[in-house]
Structures are given as C-alpha cells and as structure tokens.
C-alpha cells in the first residue's frame, strides 16, 4: 500500500502541444507548473530524496486524461468478454482516466444494486475511474422506466442513463425519461436506431449492401430518431446526448438543433471517423458494428462535425467480444469493436494529422467536453497548478502497428488490426499516480479516492 | 481459379472457359457411358446448411459423372448459438479428406469467409449464400441462353458470348442471389440486362448498377415488333414476401409483374434479330399462377428442363476446372 514515490516531476512536456513546461505532480494534483515546478521539486527532493520521480518528457505532449462516456465493460454477466478489471487496464493504457460503463450487462444495470457493484469493482481495480451508466428502462426492454432515482441516490451517484444497444424507441417513454431525469439532474444518452426500420439489419444500407446481399441499416433509421428526440428534448427542456452519431444527415440535424438552442450533445466513435462499409466486402465480422460503418461521405461529414463543434465528444463504444462471437458467419456474428487502446491514435490520424483540429480541440473532445456533459468536477480540468492530476503524456511522433494480441482488453476484435497508426500513450496519471509509465501498465491506484466524486453544482 | 464464390469476380475468359468446358461435359452426358474418370479418388462434400434437394442432386450427379466420391452433409440450423460452428464443421470435413466443399448456406458471404479462412485448403464452391450469389445457377442460365442465342445466329456456341442479347430479369431482385449472380455474369458476357420489379423489391442504389430498371413489365416488354427482350427470366416469389409488406397481394403482383397469358402472347409474337422467339427461364421451383401462368410454364419457349440438365454440365465443368488442375496438398 505504500508508494515510495509520491511526487512526479515531468520535465519538458508540451501542454496541449504548446511550449514545453515542467510540471510537478504531488498529492493527486498539479502542484506547480514552469519554474515553480522545478523549485518545489528541489525542495521536495531535499526533504525526501526517494519521494520524487523525475520523468524526461521532451517531445511528449501533455493532455488532460481522456474521458469515455461510452464503454462496454461486460461485467457482470459476460466476464469471458471483459471484466471491469481488464477493461480498466485497457482504459488506462489507452489514456483514459474515466470511463462510463454501459448498462447492457447481465443482469442489466437497471437497479441500485448493479450500478453499485460496477462502481465498487471499478474502485477496487484502480486503473481508471469507472462510472456505471444506468438503464433507462427495466431490462432495456423499452417498456417501463427503471428506478432512475434509486440509481442516482446510490453510492454510484448515476447521472447518465442509457439503454445503449437498444433505442428508447417509444416516443412517450422517451419523453417521460427526458422529463424524469431532470428530477435527478441527469441526462439521457440515446442509441438512435428506429427498430422497425432496422429489423435484421446487418450493415449500412447502400451500394455495398446491395451487392453483398446483406439486409441494410438505413441512415434514416438513425436520423429520424435524432430528429424526434431533439424536438422532445426541446419540448420538455431536458438534456439529451446522442451516442455514436454515424451519418452525415445526423450531423445536419444536430447542427440545426444546436442553432435552435436545444440542449443536445453528440458523440462520434473513432471507428466511424476512419472506416467505411467498403471493408465489409470481405465479410469479415470484425467490421460488424452497430451503428454500422457508413460511407466515405459520412466519414467526411463526421470529421467536419467534430472539428466545428457540432459533435461534442469522442466516445469509443469499446465493445469486446470473445473470439467465437466473431469467428462465424457475418449474420450470426456479434456487433461491436474494441476501441479503448486505439482511440487516441485513430483520432490523431483522422483529426490531427489531417489538420482538422489542434491539440486544444483534441483535449476538448476527448476530455473537457465529456467531463462537462457528465458534470465531473475533477476530470477534464485545465493543466494548471492546483488542478486534479488526471492527465496523460503522449508521443505524437511514434507509430505503432496495431496488434490486438498485445492489448490489455480481453477483446481481440479490433478493426484496426495490422494498421499503422500514429501516436502512443506514454503515461497516464490517475489522481497523480502513474497507472501507465513508459507505455506499459505500472501499478493501480490503491489509496482511496473520495467515496463520492465531487460534482459541480448545476446551473 | 481456386474457388467459385461469385460471378462478380469471374473474368470474361474464365466465364467462357467454364461455359465451353460445360459444352464438352454436355457431350459426355449424351454418350452411352456417361462417366469420366477425371476426379477418381477425389472427394466432393455437399455441405448444405439450407435444404435444396435440386441443387444438391445436381452437384451430386456432376461429381459422380466425374468419378469423384461424394459425401452429403446436412447441417441445418448450425450457428454459434445452436450447435457446431462453421469452422468446426469445415475442419471436420477437411480431416475426413475432402478436396472440394460445395456449400449452400443461409448466410450471405459464408462461402467467401470459408475461402478466406485458414480452416480448410479445399476448393470452395458457392452453391448459394443467403441473398448474395448463386454462381452455378447463373452459369447454367448463361449456358442455356448462349445455346439459344448462338443457334439463332447459326453458330457453334463454343467460344461465343452474349453480346447484344437483351435479357429481362423479373421479380424479387432485392432478395435474390440468382438475380445478383445473373446480372454480373450477363454483363460480363456482353448482354444488355433489364430488371423489372416493384420498387420495394429492388435494392437501394440499383440505379448505379449497369442495368436498365423498369417498374412496369409491360413497358419492359416494349410495344412494337422490334422491341422486346430475347430472353425473360422469371424469379420465384417467396411466400413470405406476399404478406402485404413488399406488395399488396399476390393477385396485384401477378397483374403487374406476372408472366400472364397475355404477356406470353406478346412474347410469342415477338421475333428477335435472327427471327427467333424469346426464351423463358425460371430457376425453379415455379409458382404457377403467381409469377408465371400455367401456359407460360408449359410453353415450348420455356427452358426450365434444359436449365436442369445444363446445371449438371456446368457443375461438372466447375468441379473439373477447380479440381483437376491442382493436386491436393496433403502436407
Ligand atoms: Zn449503441
């Protein structure tokens, strides 16, 4: 339980890719920045020489720890696919200091008991912060509201509710859910998929599905739900978050909604920023995902939407599956891709290397905005003295060939297998403790963090 | 050519090679001794995840005429959740010593996945995968069409293609693996292809396909004596599409897209460039009274029985070309 070294002096890292600075991290916070960091570190060193770790970080970029609002950790129920422990390790390695575990576990996280279990497991693992997402409806069945109040008041303090995997398609139920979460200061994250329009759907409906003879998942099935829900959110004055936006039309609708002042936020996955339905031509189920990979025109629109702020955040939709769930016929295969350990390089490739955004914007979409959507007080904070030290160091110049066998996640279903991607996470600090060093898992955080996360008071 | 997975990836040369070999095989079938020794000692497995007695028997007859050993493996309902995986099934067949796997599968792409996997070294022949392709059906249709087209021009069919031939494909294009395979192969062979269907049974994006699209069969049949197709292929209407979701009623379908007696009369009156009457094709089994009238089904213009015998010739050709050229790697 004792950490001999409790302070870290990071030398010469470039915050947000800007001018190099020294940063001193102690007691879970950024203690000092710049010349003050060195001075304080020297003082610490004099008092307790073995208590200070020095990290040469020349050429590395310092960013706030990434926050994923869309993670499937599979526990309880599918521990063969992932556990909170393995998923947390994957998160830390990928540069995430907080993840939000979707509710489609078994049993479904639709009660205080299940969300508290996931929350406890996350705290015990200590690699990243784990926040359970509560189900909107009992059993994700879309029929009646789950006990949102009980989950909100539980020790997990759930504020984000989603039936992800399923769409809350009943318009009356969706309206009530949007209204009800106002009473617990929460928000609804919608998996936008009109079920009747996507019965048996296997891939994006378009030129490729027509040739492959696979039932299509039309863009309109996503767009019609988003259009309905932004209007519902406006009508009842509630907060709505759209999961994994995948089409150009959805970007247009969200842009329109934001122009009208509707309180909607939106997310895009790394895979939807890079991959297209052309990859399905070989029928390799590693490319099967929901919503499906779309066209290059959609990819362009999603990138533009993320760059201009129409899309607020990156969500990985990390969805590990056991090998046999992908080693089968396309139609029988499970939907989903791993994403925690490839998110950063994919965003660099699609958004930074293309010049579409800078590192400030990178920090916004991966950390600041997701933390703000959840109203976390200690995630997504500025890289300034006094702030909580949830941060990462990345090497933007390195490249890696993706090898899922080396991933900390149990899932091997990475669609980026074999691709050469730019950038890598060198260190991840969770409450000032380096859970990742030199690009490898170090040790988990073992000293307790506050039982109930501090939260901003909502306006 | 190591596998036959789809007609989309068959070149003109490969397609002609299969059709010309099939003509040789057809000649064998008319001899007193119908067997060739080519594939003696080789094993062909018919792996059927979906019932299709017609297709299985056709492949079985083809393999036996080439003296291959044939095993039939029915694996209905196999999937991850229930029973054995495709991988395990195929590895079992591999261990038994199969040289070729003829696979019918309910899942689109299953044959392509098998060929791309390291589960087997067998030659893979797609005998119909989901709503994707059914390449040997298209090849037998092409053999049938080429015979008629070349005969009308007084030519030996061997070495010729279908340049200039006008072929209409009528019915459920969206869910038809037969249609997909036919469209790509007919285009490769130089035919002009017209699709005729209600908009609900055409895939999204069909306007980008190298075909003409008609919602009206009457329009597609043309009006003057110069217009009209050289062949018309009627697709079977599946019972599960008739519930009002894709078109209102079977009766409305027949009125608008069926080969009725009146439309048969128009076809009979039509003469192609060489004075020939159009050919009627159907992959079978026919729904008499729905997509095709009894008179059209029994018309001498209907090639359905020739299609069946051509099926054996084409499948012999495919097995011969895939298996006799390469020795099995027994390492
Ligand atoms: Zn989802």
């Amino acid at each position: 339980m004792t950490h001999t070294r409790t302070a870290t002096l990071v030398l010469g890292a470039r915050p947000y890719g800007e001018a190099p600075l020294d940063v001193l991290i102690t007691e879970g916070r950024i203690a000092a920045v710049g010349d003050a960091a060195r001075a304080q570190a020297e003082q610490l060193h004099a008092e307790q020489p073995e208590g200070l770790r020095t990290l040469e970080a020349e050429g590395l970029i310092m960013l706030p720890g990434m926050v994923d609002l869309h993670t499937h950790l599979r526990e309880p129920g599918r521990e063969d696919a992932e556990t909170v422990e393995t998923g947390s390790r994957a998160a830390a390695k990928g540069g995430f200091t907080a993840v939000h575990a979707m509710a489609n576990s078994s049993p479904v996280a639709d009660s205080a008991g299940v969300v508290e279990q996931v929350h406890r497991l996350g705290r015990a693992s200590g690699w990243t912060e784990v926040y359970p997402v509560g189900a909107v409806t009992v059993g994700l069945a879309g029929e009646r509201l789950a006990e949102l109040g009980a989950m909100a008041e539980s020790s997990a303090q759930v504020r984000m509710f989603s039936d992800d995997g399923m769409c809350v398609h009943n318009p009356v139920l969706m309206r009530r859910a949007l209204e009800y979460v106002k009473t617990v200061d929460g928000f609804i994250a919608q998996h936008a998929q009109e079920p009747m329009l996507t019965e048996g759907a296997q891939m994006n409906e378009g030129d490729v599905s027509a040739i492959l003879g696979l039932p299509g998942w039309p863009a309109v099935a996503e767009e019609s739900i988003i259009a309905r829900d932004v209007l519902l959110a406006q009508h009842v004055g509630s907060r709505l978050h759209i999961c994994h936006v995948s089409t150009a039309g959805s970007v247009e609708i969200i842009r329109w909604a934001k122009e009208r002042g509707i309180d909607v936020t939106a997310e895009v996955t790394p895979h939807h920023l890079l991959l297209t339905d052309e990859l399905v031509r070989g029928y390799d189920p590693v490319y099967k995902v929901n919503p499906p990979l779309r066209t290059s025109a959609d990819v362009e629109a999603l990138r533009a939407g993320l760059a201009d702020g129409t899309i607020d955040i990156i969500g990985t939709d990390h969805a590990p599956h056991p090998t046999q769930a992908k080693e089968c016929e396309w139609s029988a295969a499970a939907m989903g891709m791993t994403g925690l350990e490839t998110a950063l390089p994919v965003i660099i490739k699609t958004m930074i290397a293309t010049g579409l955004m800078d590192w400030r914007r990178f920090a916004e979409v991966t950390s600041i905005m997701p933390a703000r959507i959840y109203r976390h007080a200690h995630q997504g904070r500025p890289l300034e003295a006094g702030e909580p030290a949830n941060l990462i160091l990345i090497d933007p110049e390195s490249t890696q060939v993706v090898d899922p066998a080396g991933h900390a996640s149990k899932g091997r279903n990475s669609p980026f297998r074999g691709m050469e991607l730019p950038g890598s996470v060198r260190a991840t600090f969770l409450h000032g403790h380096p859970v990742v060093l030199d690009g490898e898992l170090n040790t988990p955080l073992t000293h307790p963090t506050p039982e109930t996360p501090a939260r901003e008071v909502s306006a | 050519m190591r596998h036959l997975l789809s007609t989309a990836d068959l070149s003109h040369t490969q397609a002609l090679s299969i059709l010309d070999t099939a003509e040789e095989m057809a000649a064998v079938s008319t001899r007193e001794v119908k067997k060739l020794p080519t594939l003696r000692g080789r094993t062909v497995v018919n792996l059927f995840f979906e019932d299709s007695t017609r297709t299985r028997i056709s492949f079985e007859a083809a393999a036996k005429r080439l003296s291959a050993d044939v095993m039939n493996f029915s694996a209905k309902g196999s999937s991850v959740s229930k029973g054995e995986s495709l991988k395990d099934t195929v590895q079992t067949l591999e261990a038994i010593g199969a040289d070729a796997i003829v696979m019918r599968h309910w899942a689109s792409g299953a044959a392509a996945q098998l060929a791309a996997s390291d589960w087997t070294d067998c030659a893979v022949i797609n005998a119909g995968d989901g709503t994707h392709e059914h390449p040997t059906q298209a090849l037998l249709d092409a053999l049938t069409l080429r015979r008629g087209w070349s005969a009308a021009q007084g030519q030996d069919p061997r070495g010729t293609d279908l340049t200039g031939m006008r072929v209409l494909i009528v019915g459920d294009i969206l869910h038809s693996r037969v249609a997909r395979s036919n469209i790509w192969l007919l285009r490769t062979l130089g035919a002009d292809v017209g699709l005729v269907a209600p908009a609900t049974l055409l895939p999204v994006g069909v306007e980008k396909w190298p075909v003409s699209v008609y919602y009206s069969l009457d329009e597609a049949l043309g009006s003057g004596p110069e217009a009209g197709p050289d062949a018309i292929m009627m697709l079977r209407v599946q019972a599960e599409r008739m519930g009002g979701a894709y078109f209102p009623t079977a009766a409305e379908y027949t009125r608008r897209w069926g080969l009725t007696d009146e439309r048969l009369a128009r076809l009979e009156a039509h003469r192609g460039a060489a004075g020939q009457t159009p050919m009627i094709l159907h992959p079978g089994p026919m729904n008499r009274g729905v997509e095709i009238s009894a008179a059209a089904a029994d018309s001498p213009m209907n090639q359905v029985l020739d299609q069946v015998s051509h099926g054996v010739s084409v499948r012999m050709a495919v097995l011969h070309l895939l298996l006799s050229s390469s020795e099995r790697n027994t390492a």
Side-chain angles (χ1 to χ4, degrees):
Chain A
M1 292 295 281
T2 54
H3 291 275
T4 51
R5 289 189 281 201
T6 54
T8 305
L9 178 63
V10 181
L11 293 172
R14 297 186 288 135
Y16 312 104
E18 293 159 11
L21 280 177
D22 300 333
V23 174
L24 179 68
I25 299 166
T26 60
E27 290 169 1
R29 292 193 175 267
I30 297 175
V33 172
D35 295 340
R38 234 175 235 262
Q40 283 192 32
E42 273 164 26
Q43 197 179 335
L44 272 177
H45 186 70
E47 291 167 8
Q48 196 192 353
E50 66 281 10
L52 180 71
R53 172 192 291 105
T54 303
L55 265 186
E56 292 289 345
E58 199 180 327
L60 304 187
I61 293 175
M62 181 180 282
L63 295 165
M66 300 200 289
V67 175
D68 188 13
L69 287 189
H70 197 141
T71 319
H72 295 275
L73 293 181
R74 302 301 187 211
E75 190 176 3
R78 287 310 303 268
E79 290 82 359
D80 58 328
E82 192 82 290
T83 63
V84 172
E85 171 71 22
T86 59
S88 297
R89 286 169 175 255
K93 259 186 110 178
F96 291 92
T97 51
V99 298
H100 296 71
M102 280 298 181
N104 62 341
S105 50
S106 178
V108 169
D110 59 2
S111 67
V114 179
V115 294
E116 288 188 346
Q117 181 194 356
V118 172
H119 186 60
R120 254 194 326 272
L121 288 167
R123 287 175 52 78
S125 93
W127 295 104
T128 192
E129 290 191 341
V130 175
Y131 295 94
V133 177
V136 177
T137 68
V138 176
L140 309 180
E143 285 162 7
R144 52 201 177 89
L145 292 177
E147 287 192 335
L148 309 187
M151 290 187 272
E153 286 167 14
S154 75
S155 63
Q157 294 208 348
V158 176
R159 291 296 179 273
M160 174 175 175
F161 298 92
S162 180
D163 274 2
D164 182 62
M166 310 292 283
C167 179
V168 183
H169 62 92
N170 177 328
V172 178
L173 198 61
M174 185 61 182
R175 175 210 166 129
R176 300 293 181 223
L178 285 166
E179 285 174 318
Y180 196 84
V181 286
K182 290 200 287 183
T183 63
V184 300
D185 190 30
F187 66 101
I188 301 285
Q190 175 71 294
H191 167 118
Q193 175 181 7
E194 212 298 312
M196 305 284 276
L197 282 171
T198 50
E199 219 180 298
Q202 295 292 326
M203 68 171 296
N204 179 49
E205 183 168 270
D207 297 346
V208 182
S209 67
I211 286 166
L212 297 187
L214 285 170
W217 197 132
V220 63
E222 174 174 307
E223 293 154 6
S224 58
I225 291 291
I226 295 176
R228 180 198 78 178
D229 287 355
V230 295
L231 294 173
L232 283 175
Q234 179 183 41
H235 182 60
V236 303
S238 189
R239 287 209 291 149
L240 170 69
H241 177 69
I242 306 294
C243 298
H244 44 54
V245 169
S246 72
T247 79
S250 297
V251 176
E252 282 306 304
I253 293 164
I254 293 161
R255 189 172 284 132
W256 173 87
K258 286 187 165 184
E259 281 164 7
R260 286 179 59 133
I262 297 171
D263 198 356
V264 60
T265 54
E267 139 198 319
V268 63
T269 71
H271 49 269
H272 286 112
L273 289 173
L274 182 58
L275 310 177
T276 71
D277 63 352
E278 289 293 330
L279 290 163
V280 183
R281 287 185 188 273
Y283 294 97
D284 183 344
V286 79
Y287 300 114
K288 184 171 175 181
V289 65
N290 193 23
L293 300 180
R294 304 287 187 184
T295 67
S296 55
D298 294 304
V299 166
E300 291 309 311
L302 293 169
R303 289 182 183 184
L306 184 64
D308 72 17
T310 304
I311 295 174
D312 301 270
I313 67 165
I314 297 282
T316 66
D317 199 4
H318 175 75
H321 287 290
T323 303
Q324 69 273 13
K326 290 289 191 178
E327 209 170 51
C328 58
E329 299 87 350
W330 178 280
S331 315
M335 292 182 282
M337 305 169 160
T338 59
L340 287 171
E341 289 163 86
T342 46
L344 177 128
V346 172
I347 304 162
I348 293 175
K349 181 181 173 72
T350 55
M351 302 300 296
I352 300 278
T354 52
L356 286 168
M357 67 187 199
D358 59 13
W359 293 105
R360 287 271 173 185
R361 179 72 188 146
F362 183 101
E364 279 177 22
V365 302
T366 60
S367 178
I368 298 165
M369 284 307 297
R372 194 171 293 162
I373 290 169
Y374 198 97
R375 295 184 177 148
H376 288 298
H378 57 282
Q379 295 281 352
R381 299 297 304 166
L383 300 172
E384 289 168 7
E387 293 289 349
N390 291 309
L391 50 87
I392 57 176
L393 294 170
I394 69 159
D395 180 356
E397 300 305 325
S398 69
T399 59
Q400 47 165 332
V401 175
V402 178
D403 176 15
H407 284 170
S409 167
K410 281 193 182 183
R412 296 292 172 262
N413 50 306
S414 170
F416 308 110
R417 176 194 304 266
M419 285 179 74
E420 190 178 273
L421 295 176
S424 60
V425 176
R426 302 307 301 161
T428 303
F429 288 85
L430 180 65
H431 300 291
H433 173 71
V435 289
V436 172
L437 272 180
D438 295 327
E440 298 298 332
L441 291 169
N442 179 34
T443 54
L445 180 71
T446 49
H447 51 265
T449 51
E451 174 63 32
T452 52
R455 293 168 55 78
E456 281 178 23
V457 178
S458 66
Chain B
M1 210 166 74
R2 225 171 94 55
H3 309 288
L4 178 65
L5 305 174
S6 80
T7 60
D9 43 46
L10 275 186
S11 67
H12 187 265
T13 309
Q14 287 172 326
L16 283 198
S17 159
I18 295 170
L19 295 179
D20 289 349
T21 308
E23 288 292 351
E24 306 295 336
M25 297 300 172
V28 171
S29 299
T30 61
R31 298 192 322 207
E32 201 157 319
V33 178
K34 294 187 170 61
K35 269 198 163 180
L36 285 175
T38 352
L39 298 185
R40 186 169 292 147
R42 314 299 291 278
T43 300
V44 175
V45 175
N46 287 320
L47 175 57
F48 276 53
F49 289 81
E50 202 180 62
D51 286 332
S52 175
T53 311
R54 290 163 164 261
T55 306
R56 184 180 56 72
I57 285 176
S58 181
F59 270 107
E60 192 170 347
K64 283 181 171 166
R65 283 188 195 170
L66 296 172
S67 307
D69 294 324
V70 181
M71 291 191 289
N72 290 315
F73 193 109
S74 172
K76 242 184 100 182
S78 175
S79 78
V80 183
S81 52
K82 39 185 177 180
E84 199 175 38
S85 72
L86 176 59
K87 176 181 177 176
D88 290 335
T89 304
V90 166
Q91 287 184 334
T92 303
L93 300 177
E94 171 85 6
I96 284 169
D99 296 287
I101 294 176
V102 173
M103 188 165 76
R104 164 64 64 95
H105 205 293
W106 44 264
S108 297
Q113 284 179 284
L114 189 52
S117 76
D118 55 5
W119 309 337
T120 174
D121 289 329
C122 287
V124 178
I125 298 167
N126 182 5
D129 62 325
T131 52
H132 176 224
E133 286 218 29
H134 191 358
T136 58
Q137 175 71 42
L139 285 160
L140 74 88
D141 289 337
L143 190 68
T144 307
L145 292 169
R146 191 174 76 157
R147 284 227 173 153
W149 187 239
S150 57
Q153 289 157 50
Q155 283 180 329
D156 183 319
R158 280 170 295 189
T160 69
D161 64 11
L162 303 177
T163 300
M165 189 174 196
R166 285 172 299 177
V167 183
L168 290 182
I169 304 177
V170 186
D172 184 357
I173 310 294
L174 177 62
H175 301 98
S176 175
R177 54 191 170 212
V178 173
R180 277 183 188 73
S181 282
N182 261 298
I183 290 162
W184 314 132
L185 182 60
L186 290 169
R187 292 295 299 141
T188 298
L189 293 173
D192 295 326
V193 178
L195 305 181
V196 189
T200 46
L201 293 176
L202 288 163
V204 162
V206 71
E207 64 280 356
K208 294 181 196 160
W209 288 10
V211 298
S212 311
V213 176
Y214 305 90
Y215 296 141
S216 159
L217 179 52
D218 289 321
E219 185 197 332
L221 288 176
S223 42
E226 298 304 313
D230 299 302
I232 183 167
M233 190 177 293
M234 305 304 297
L235 300 174
R236 178 179 166 80
V237 181
Q238 301 290 335
E240 64 263 31
R241 317 274 180 237
M242 292 191 208
Y246 288 90
F247 49 86
T249 59
E252 174 149 327
Y253 183 90
T254 305
R255 274 197 303 276
R256 298 179 69 95
W257 295 283
L259 186 48
T260 57
D261 290 352
E262 290 151 21
R263 295 190 180 112
L264 177 67
R266 287 178 60 189
L267 277 179
E268 280 168 344
H270 176 63
R271 288 293 175 274
Q276 81 281 16
T277 51
M279 305 165 84
I280 300 170
L281 281 76
H282 194 295
M286 295 184 281
N287 287 314
R288 287 170 180 250
V290 184
E291 74 269 2
I292 190 163
S293 73
D298 296 329
S299 159
M301 291 152 67
N302 194 321
Q303 311 292 315
V304 67
L305 292 179
D306 280 342
Q307 285 173 271
V308 174
S309 71
H310 292 163
V312 178
S313 305
V314 151
R315 286 161 183 141
M316 286 172 78
V318 169
L319 286 168
H320 175 82
L321 289 169
L322 291 184
L323 287 183
S324 63
S325 55
S326 68
E327 283 306 309
R328 180 176 164 72
N329 176 9
T330 51

